[in-house]
Amino acid sequence: MEMLNIKINGKDYQVEKNTTILEACHQFGIKIPTLCYLKEINEIGACRMCLCEVKGARSLVAACVYPIDREGTEIFTNTPQIQKYRKTNLELLLSNHDKKCLSCPRSNTCELQQLCLEYGVDETKFKGEETHYEEDHTTLHLVRNNNKCILCRRCVAACKQQYVSVIGANNRGFDTVISCAFEQDLNNVACVSCGQCTVVCPTGALVERDDTYKVFEAIADPTKHVVVHTAPSIRATLGECFDMPIGTNVKGKMVAALKMLGFDKVFDTNFGADLTIMEEGTEFIQRVQNGGTLPMITSCSPGWVKFCEHYYPDLIPHLSTCKSPQQMQGAMIKSYYAEKAGIDPKDIVVVSVMPCVAKKFEIKRDDQGRDGMQDNDISISTRELAKMIKKAGIQFTSLPDEDFDPIMAIGSGAGTIFGATGGVMEAALRTVADKLTGEDLKTIDYTEVRGTDDIKEATYDVAGMQVKVAVTSGLKNAAKLLDEIRAGKSPYQFIEVMCCPGGCVNGGGQPIQPGHVRNFTDLKALRAKAL
């Protein structure tokens, strides 16, 4: 490791050779603004907000892509000239931007808005022609408003990382727009509804479809019995919406807030996750013993299932036939719970709180209900739940802890770890081993499949049967495993796939952290640790 002596704003530092200016400054507590940069995903220097001065350079340089490769490099990050350039850059962005900030879903969490406040911009300094686009409301999971777009291309990079790439930059110059090929609506392309674009967007150009009004209406209807259930990862992320440390487990406060909102029953989706594990584990054993299609691949993630249907339809027989925990939970509420409570299922409204905007698509699928009723009626994201809590005037951080309601409040640790990549596999292996041995296991941890690596693999002796497994998250990684299966070269019997990188804790409906946090904080690991 070669270290270089450098100066930043007149102070001496040492930094590893070829570290970018942005990364070096972060190491030493100096924040440089960015709007386009996403570490290892979108390193293109497009927004020009990170411009810095390097002594001897012919012009200002983009800190996010400029490597420090010379001994004695002198860097200036905050001179009056640089401040002026950044302010002018922001004012130029605003000259073709829909500035209806008060009604924007991203108000107070918008990175552009925050930088404009910090640099004291004049939002009307540059007046002239403005583009106008019709909003795209065609999908069930998000709304696209290109009038808010600043062409940072983060969404394009996130979509590419997901191996989908259904959006990109069309046209040139002033007419450049981020959209689908041939200006198609999102519902007409092979979007998998993962929502990763909404998580990385710095403005209100891409936001989840807001279904909170449906929930409020259902709660206010005296003829409806409204039941809510929450996915395991929500307890690990909801606190971020109320400025609590990343990775804080807020299960008790979350339950208390849901009860204050007026839900008739508050259940834990861990119950449904346990059902999924028992079903998937049993299905795996049957496939192994009866010559079924292998490797078997988990089917809990609707974005992943949609990806397989769009891009690898020939491999659909490899998917588990089990419903996801969300769907099993909803089905149980409208059958078992309805019978025990003596309530007509038609009078029950089931609301799920999920880390995933693809769940909005999943609840509408034709095969996800019975007797003319869907298993779940409304699905909202972590962000939408936080919005409801704030709108209701509930002081979340001051709430005492409360417990889930009985009947569907009991869940195992296996259900809880569903929220992190590897959790489904580990839980399934526990069930398979339990069933094959016919006794309770003394050791239930399968640690090799934990963590946030792209692809994890292991071989386990399960009741005398050698089971080779793989765990992956993010569709780019999933595609590698699917290509092996398609080529007849897969060595695995069981594969877990989660659509979003890092699993549900990094889902498309999770809290939005600003770019500098996403770039320099391991959100996936901190959130997973809470589970």
Side-chain angles (χ1 to χ4, degrees):
M1 182 192 306
E2 183 179 352
M3 302 298 292
L4 299 177
N5 295 299
I6 65 170
K7 285 182 180 290
I8 303 178
N9 298 331
K11 292 189 176 181
D12 294 323
Y13 298 98
Q14 274 198 334
V15 67
E16 186 178 347
K17 186 177 181 179
N18 289 324
T19 300
T20 65
I21 293 176
L22 182 67
E23 291 174 326
C25 287
H26 174 74
Q27 291 178 26
F28 307 126
I30 302 168
K31 179 182 173 182
I32 295 177
T34 62
L35 281 172
C36 70
Y37 179 77
L38 284 178
K39 189 173 183 179
E40 298 176 352
I41 300 174
N42 198 47
E43 300 177 342
I44 59 175
C47 73
R48 316 309 287 174
M49 281 303 301
C50 65
L51 288 178
C52 293
E53 183 180 339
V54 174
K55 191 172 182 179
R58 296 170 62 183
S59 64
L60 297 180
V61 301
C64 67
V65 293
Y66 191 91
I68 302 173
D69 57 5
R70 292 182 294 106
E71 176 76 11
T73 299
E74 292 189 46
I75 302 162
F76 301 92
T77 69
N78 199 32
T79 65
Q81 181 193 24
I82 292 170
Q83 288 190 19
K84 179 182 177 182
Y85 275 129
R86 291 175 183 166
K87 180 179 178 181
T88 300
N89 193 6
L90 290 168
E91 290 169 340
L92 287 168
L93 285 174
L94 290 177
S95 70
N96 191 31
H97 185 77
D98 182 0
K99 295 180 280 293
K100 297 175 182 175
C101 296
L102 293 179
S103 58
C104 179
R106 288 294 304 276
S107 185
N108 293 324
T109 63
C110 172
E111 295 176 50
L112 175 65
Q113 183 185 54
Q114 183 60 42
L115 286 175
C116 287
L117 181 65
E118 290 176 4
Y119 281 85
V121 302
D122 178 357
E123 63 182 33
T124 62
K125 183 173 182 179
F126 297 104
K127 294 182 179 180
E129 182 181 351
E130 295 185 17
T131 54
H132 178 73
Y133 304 98
E134 294 298 320
E135 294 184 21
D136 185 351
H137 292 260
T138 58
T139 67
L140 293 170
H141 67 290
L142 65 79
V143 175
R144 180 172 62 172
N145 181 1
N146 273 329
N147 301 297
K148 297 282 187 180
C149 179
I150 58 172
L151 301 176
C152 70
R153 292 167 172 76
R154 282 189 192 175
C155 59
V156 177
C159 198
K160 182 179 180 181
Q161 184 194 37
Q162 284 292 67
Y163 208 70
V164 176
S165 291
V166 294
I167 53 175
N170 290 347
N171 306 325
R172 300 178 66 183
F174 185 74
D175 295 323
T176 302
V177 60
I178 304 299
S179 59
C180 305
F182 307 109
E183 307 300 337
Q184 291 288 305
D185 292 331
L186 273 172
N187 70 323
N188 288 330
V189 298
C191 171
V192 299
S193 308
C194 71
Q196 285 299 305
C197 57
T198 70
V199 176
V200 301
C201 179
T203 66
L206 291 160
V207 295
E208 73 279 7
R209 181 178 286 276
D210 187 356
D211 290 314
T212 58
Y213 71 95
K214 297 179 183 178
V215 183
F216 279 122
E217 287 176 356
I219 291 173
D221 187 343
T223 67
K224 298 299 182 184
H225 185 80
V226 188
V227 179
V228 66
H229 61 100
T230 65
S233 65
I234 308 302
R235 69 201 63 184
T237 57
L238 181 61
E240 295 174 34
C241 298
F242 300 92
D243 299 323
M244 299 175 75
I246 297 168
T248 302
N249 189 321
V250 296
K251 181 179 76 171
K253 295 184 187 302
M254 175 186 71
V255 172
L258 289 167
K259 291 182 177 180
M260 289 183 70
L261 282 169
F263 288 101
D264 294 296
K265 291 293 179 182
V266 181
F267 293 146
D268 191 348
T269 317
N270 278 8
F271 181 87
D274 281 345
L275 296 180
T276 302
I277 281 308
M278 289 185 279
E279 291 296 323
E280 279 196 345
T282 301
E283 182 181 7
F284 176 67
I285 293 172
Q286 290 175 346
R287 290 198 187 197
V288 171
Q289 294 177 340
N290 300 322
T293 302
L294 293 175
M296 189 179 92
I297 312 177
T298 58
S299 57
C300 299
S301 170
W304 142 243
V305 171
K306 199 174 182 183
F307 176 77
C308 187
E309 291 171 335
H310 280 320
Y311 298 94
Y312 293 86
D314 53 309
L315 300 185
I316 289 175
H318 289 270
L319 294 177
S320 167
T321 61
C322 299
K323 289 182 176 181
S324 70
Q326 170 182 257
Q327 299 308 117
M328 288 197 186
Q329 184 89 2
M332 290 295 289
I333 290 171
K334 289 194 176 181
S335 56
Y336 176 78
Y337 168 72
E339 180 182 338
K340 293 295 182 183
I343 303 172
D344 187 335
K346 291 184 174 60
D347 294 328
I348 297 177
V349 176
V350 179
V351 179
S352 67
V353 184
M354 294 287 135
C356 170
V357 293
K359 292 294 183 181
K360 295 175 181 287
F361 154 79
E362 184 181 45
I363 66 172
K364 301 293 186 181
R365 295 192 69 139
D366 293 337
D367 57 353
Q368 299 298 308
R370 64 186 182 89
D371 300 332
M373 298 179 295
Q374 294 300 104
D375 294 330
N376 294 269
D377 299 289
I378 308 168
S379 181
I380 61 173
S381 66
T382 313
R383 300 192 293 265
E384 288 172 277
L385 175 57
K387 187 184 299 184
M388 290 184 67
I389 293 170
K390 292 173 182 178
K391 190 172 183 178
I394 298 171
Q395 300 294 316
F396 184 80
T397 57
S398 302
L399 295 177
D401 290 350
E402 295 191 35
D403 293 324
F404 287 105
D405 288 317
I407 302 183
M408 294 186 183
I410 299 174
S412 72
T416 302
I417 60 177
F418 256 58
T421 176
V424 177
M425 177 62 70
E426 183 170 358
L429 290 171
R430 296 177 187 178
T431 300
V432 170
D434 244 6
K435 191 172 181 65
L436 289 176
T437 61
E439 58 187 42
D440 289 334
L441 301 177
K442 294 181 180 179
T443 302
I444 62 171
D445 293 327
Y446 296 86
T447 56
E448 291 84 358
V449 296
R450 296 178 183 176
T452 57
D453 291 342
D454 289 346
I455 298 176
K456 297 158 284 186
E457 60 178 25
T459 302
Y460 295 109
D461 185 328
V462 183
M465 180 174 66
Q466 294 296 305
V467 180
K468 189 170 181 63
V469 302
V471 170
T472 192
S473 63
L475 297 178
K476 182 178 180 180
N477 299 318
K480 296 176 183 177
L481 297 178
L482 295 179
D483 288 338
E484 285 185 353
I485 297 173
R486 184 176 272 174
K489 298 180 180 179
S490 177
Y492 310 110
Q493 286 84 45
F494 199 1
I495 297 174
E496 175 199 314
V497 176
M498 285 294 177
C499 178
C500 296
C504 297
V505 290
N506 194 43
Q510 294 288 29
I512 295 175
Q513 291 290 351
H516 69 276
V517 176
R518 294 186 67 85
N519 291 326
F520 300 111
T521 301
D522 191 343
L523 295 175
K524 298 187 286 288
L526 288 175
R527 290 168 173 174
K529 189 176 181 181
L531 299 176

